[in-house]
Amino acid sequence: MGRRKTRRNSIGRGLIGGAAVILALGAGAVAWAWESAIPPQPRPAAESFPAELVAEGARLAAVGNCIACHTVPGGRSFAGGLALPTPFGTIHSTNITPDEDTGIGRWSEAAFTRAMRRGVDRDGRHLYPAFPYDHYTRVSDADNRALYAYLMTRTPVRAEAPANHLPFPLNIRMAVAGWKLLYFREGAFTPDPAKPEVWNRGAYLAEGLGHCGACHSPRNALGAVDKDRAWAGGEAEGWTAYPIDQDSPAPVPWTADSLTFYLRHGWHPAHGVSRGPMAEVTGNLVGLPDADVAAIGAYVADRMGPPSAERLRRGEDLRALVSRRTADAGAPPGAGPTAADSQARPPAADSGRTGGDERGEAIYRTACATCHESGRPLPFGGLPFALSTAVNAANPQNIVNVTLFGLPPGDGTVSAVMPAFGGALTDADMVALLRYLRGRFSDQPPWDGLERLVADTRSGAHHVAVRPADGIERAPQNVGAAD
Amino acid sequence: MAIDLTVNGTPQRVEADPDTPLLYVLRDDLGLNGAKFGCGLGQCGACTVMVDGRAVLSCVTPVLLMQGRAVTTVEGLGTAEAPGPMQRAFIEEQAAQCGYCIPGMMMRAQALLQERPDADDAAIRRALEFNLCRCGTHMRILRAIRRAADTMRHAETAAPNGRAG
């Protein structure tokens, strides 16, 4: 009896002691995670910001692609409210116009810089890492000052973002502090003195505001970028973001020059046009000086590393083959054959491969080759598939997206365009076509799970944001998916 | 090659090269001149028809893909004597000027409303984005489609031609 009591007491003491330790740990965690509010201030007058600073901020905001997430399609710029689906629930972007009640009008520059550097809002609440502060932490104080000037001189819009839909405990902001403890390292960019200035400029833009790695890297189960495999390829809004490291699947290896051209113009003759979320990125870079675009190109090319002699030679062979075929096609610029007027060209014997799928080959010859083998130059002609990164990538998601939903043209501008074939092609036809493209235009092993991938993309179970070629202000617009 | 397909509810067998555009088969072989040749590149929408209920650009659709499929053209929405709801709405709103783009507009709108009878203005504009009109009757076209949507929602049983393809 006495013994039992003693034991119970000791259990009780243990429980109390344990609770005290947990409480202490919890209090410690809260103290560590606690961020104070930064007092509100009256909205600074737009005239108080020098025009050059605002202009610099505009260029930087374009590099950051802020508008993509902070604008609802067809809505007011930077007013937030866009639903961002994540594997954990739906987060809504916030209003970053200088409205005093619903935007950041009463934020001081210090509050803005803290949000960029540490992912904390003016009230001291931790921000969800859908806001890529794991990249923005590298932005310099001077650039944050310019970004602040730009945003504070936008038109204030009164707009409250809808509530987020996140399960417990993710709906507790303190939980984000735990995430930060695991995955977030605060720190401004430090240049590498051993590297040339252009490399450092490119690294600063690409790793910081440009946040290339946010899409082009794999993420772990908690949504954090896998730092050991940064730039090894990821996913964005239903599109595959290809590896942009040494494992780039581009048939013709990228160079600093071709990357610069692609980022500058949104297309490249040996690589095709940017589409999906990347169309918005290249669209945004229009306002950036050539030198900055070239710096990003140089840095990315260096990250990819020099291609092997074998890969280089194959790339050269491909380019020669394609330019020979273009010359053979003899299409004068601007006089591309019309699909309804021209007979499909039989595929040129390039690889000796046949693709091995008769139905797929018939579809390719009759529906695809009319543009993709027409010899009409990019960006208005179709890319020869021998040059296609998509055909050589680990999965065909981007081909499926483009084929089913097309590439909508930009508004009021000459742009790349492709008609949607979702209504004409059955799922079985789509699968046959993919098998053929992979077999004929790539030496990679066949893709798996095509039936499921095609069906889910069509039904919207796999959600795809379809954007027009110029998609700057329109953000994701689902013009094709059944949902 | 021989292709078996259904056009406006009637089974058809056509002999054609597999790469013949569906548009040519409809116009030249079957005498259905509703769908128009505009750009031939799938960029203007004048050739739009429905295949298994979805809008398709018939000028870039090889007939090879049409084996066993159900095609609906503007002729399948009604007749001059008994126009269907979509056609009636376009007449009542006088939505055509030269009229060249109108069959494509009607087919794109029909496909949209069959899939989403409650499509709002934004959805209608988005769907019609791919159909060009150079006369500029866009506002009337939009009104006509809203009117057709209304008719189809409220009088579906009274309008046997409300659904097609």
Side-chain angles (χ1 to χ4, degrees):
Chain A
M1 186 84 178
R3 267 183 71 178
R4 212 184 295 156
K5 191 176 176 187
T6 306
R7 199 159 80 196
R8 215 168 36 229
N9 279 351
S10 72
I11 291 170
R13 267 202 305 277
L15 278 176
I16 290 168
V21 170
I22 289 168
L23 267 179
L25 279 176
V30 168
W32 175 82
W34 183 262
E35 294 276 2
S36 58
I38 293 179
Q41 63 167 39
R43 181 168 81 205
E47 304 77 57
S48 64
F49 298 99
E52 314 84 73
L53 192 65
V54 174
E56 176 63 10
R59 287 189 285 274
L60 293 166
V63 177
N65 207 9
C66 314
I67 198 163
C69 288
H70 286 282
T71 306
V72 168
R76 306 284 297 276
S77 298
F78 300 114
L82 182 72
L84 305 166
T86 75
F88 316 103
T90 301
I91 295 173
H92 291 91
S93 63
T94 52
N95 180 346
I96 54 170
T97 71
D99 181 63
E100 284 162 301
D101 299 321
T102 61
I104 60 168
R106 296 164 72 80
W107 289 37
S108 60
E109 187 189 315
F112 177 80
T113 300
R114 182 175 72 168
M116 293 287 284
R117 184 66 42 81
R118 293 220 297 275
V120 177
D121 74 3
R122 192 191 59 72
D123 292 326
R125 295 183 309 163
H126 291 283
L127 295 167
Y128 291 109
F131 173 49
Y133 48 79
D134 49 339
H135 294 89
Y136 291 171
T137 190
R138 302 188 177 99
V139 178
S140 70
D141 285 342
D143 282 355
N144 278 328
R145 178 164 303 137
L147 283 163
Y148 178 74
Y150 173 66
L151 290 173
M152 294 308 266
T153 49
R154 296 310 91 201
T155 308
V157 179
R158 202 180 162 77
E160 196 86 56
N164 295 327
H165 303 291
L166 289 167
F168 179 82
L170 298 177
N171 55 352
I172 310 292
R173 292 272 180 177
M174 271 299 174
V176 178
W179 187 94
K180 286 181 174 175
L181 184 63
L182 290 173
Y183 303 117
F184 174 63
R185 297 294 169 268
E186 179 184 340
F189 175 77
T190 40
D192 181 346
K195 299 282 189 186
E197 199 178 320
V198 62
W199 186 96
N200 275 308
R201 177 67 179 161
Y204 171 72
L205 291 171
E207 303 282 6
L209 265 180
H211 66 288
C212 313
C215 295
H216 286 280
S217 304
R219 289 178 180 269
N220 66 17
L222 285 172
V225 165
D226 181 348
K227 290 202 171 74
D228 295 334
R229 296 173 61 216
W231 292 26
E235 194 267 349
E237 297 177 67
W239 298 76
T240 295
Y242 298 120
I244 48 172
D245 58 5
Q246 71 281 357
D247 293 327
S248 156
V252 175
W254 286 99
T255 63
D257 283 349
S258 60
L259 281 161
T260 302
F261 185 97
Y262 176 82
L263 293 170
R264 177 84 292 173
H265 300 284
W267 64 277
H268 185 276
H271 296 277
V273 300
S274 66
R275 62 271 201 277
M278 194 64 199
E280 196 161 39
V281 174
T282 53
N284 257 325
L285 292 181
V286 162
L288 208 62
D290 286 344
D292 279 347
V293 178
I296 299 174
Y299 174 70
V300 176
D302 187 66
R303 282 283 303 261
M304 287 178 170
S308 67
E310 160 67 8
R311 216 177 142 225
L312 212 54
R313 189 188 53 73
R314 276 216 321 256
E316 278 316 306
D317 288 352
L318 275 175
R319 287 197 72 148
L321 179 91
V322 167
S323 61
R324 208 162 48 236
R325 192 187 297 158
T326 306
D328 288 348
T338 61
D341 272 351
S342 67
Q343 295 298 299
R345 245 171 265 280
D350 48 334
S351 61
R353 289 187 292 268
T354 59
D357 190 298
E358 273 180 44
R359 176 69 180 172
E361 176 169 11
I363 294 168
Y364 172 78
R365 282 179 179 227
T366 57
C368 314
T370 37
C371 285
H372 286 273
E373 288 194 16
S374 71
R376 192 179 187 204
L378 258 63
F380 309 118
L383 181 75
F385 283 105
L387 299 177
S388 163
T389 298
V391 171
N392 285 278
N395 72 66
Q397 185 67 55
N398 293 359
I399 307 181
V400 177
N401 295 353
V402 169
T403 310
L404 291 182
F405 308 132
L407 288 180
D411 268 350
T413 175
V414 177
S415 68
V417 61
M418 172 167 151
F421 282 85
L425 291 169
T426 62
D427 285 6
D429 282 345
M430 190 70 224
V431 168
L433 177 62
L434 291 170
R435 288 209 178 101
Y436 173 75
L437 292 177
R438 182 70 160 184
R440 169 140 183 259
F441 295 109
S442 164
D443 52 10
Q444 301 290 312
W447 286 308
D448 287 331
L450 294 178
E451 288 81 2
R452 177 72 184 275
L453 185 143
V454 169
D456 284 354
T457 306
R458 193 195 290 276
S459 72
H462 176 85
H463 183 91
V464 176
V466 180
R467 294 167 195 263
D470 64 342
I472 293 177
E473 291 262 333
R474 289 160 73 190
Q477 212 170 57
N478 209 332
V479 297
D483 68 337
Chain B
M1 68 188 288
I3 305 272
D4 293 299
L5 71 169
T6 305
V7 180
N8 298 331
T10 309
Q12 299 278 4
R13 164 165 288 208
V14 294
E15 278 291 337
D17 286 339
D19 61 347
T20 312
L22 171 62
L23 177 66
Y24 287 8
V25 170
L26 294 173
R27 293 179 60 90
D28 301 344
D29 296 342
L30 302 177
L32 296 166
N33 294 324
K36 299 287 185 282
F37 181 97
C39 66
L41 290 165
Q43 295 182 12
C44 77
C47 68
T48 308
V49 299
M50 275 162 54
V51 175
D52 294 334
R54 304 194 57 176
V56 156
L57 300 161
S58 65
C59 78
V60 290
T61 300
V63 72
L64 167 84
L65 298 174
M66 293 298 109
Q67 174 63 41
R69 315 283 298 269
V71 179
T72 308
T73 68
V74 72
E75 290 92 341
L77 298 184
T79 62
E81 296 73 36
M86 184 65 71
Q87 295 165 322
R88 269 207 314 280
F90 271 72
I91 296 167
E92 280 157 9
E93 293 292 348
Q94 287 292 288
Q97 187 167 318
C98 88
Y100 201 79
C101 70
I102 297 297
M105 294 275 183
M106 285 198 273
M107 297 318 292
R108 175 83 61 183
Q110 181 79 21
L112 171 71
L113 295 181
Q114 285 190 191
E115 196 184 338
R116 296 178 56 183
D118 58 344
D120 60 9
D121 253 26
I124 294 172
R125 282 169 178 269
R126 215 149 56 220
L128 270 283
E129 194 176 6
F130 299 94
N131 292 60
L132 307 181
C133 163
R134 292 200 63 177
C135 299
T137 60
H138 303 86
M139 301 318 286
R140 289 178 179 223
I141 291 169
L142 289 172
R143 278 208 301 276
I145 296 168
R146 281 194 290 269
R147 179 189 280 264
D150 239 29
T151 315
M152 286 158 74
R153 264 199 307 271
H154 294 118
E156 206 166 19
T157 46
N161 287 323
R163 257 198 100 77

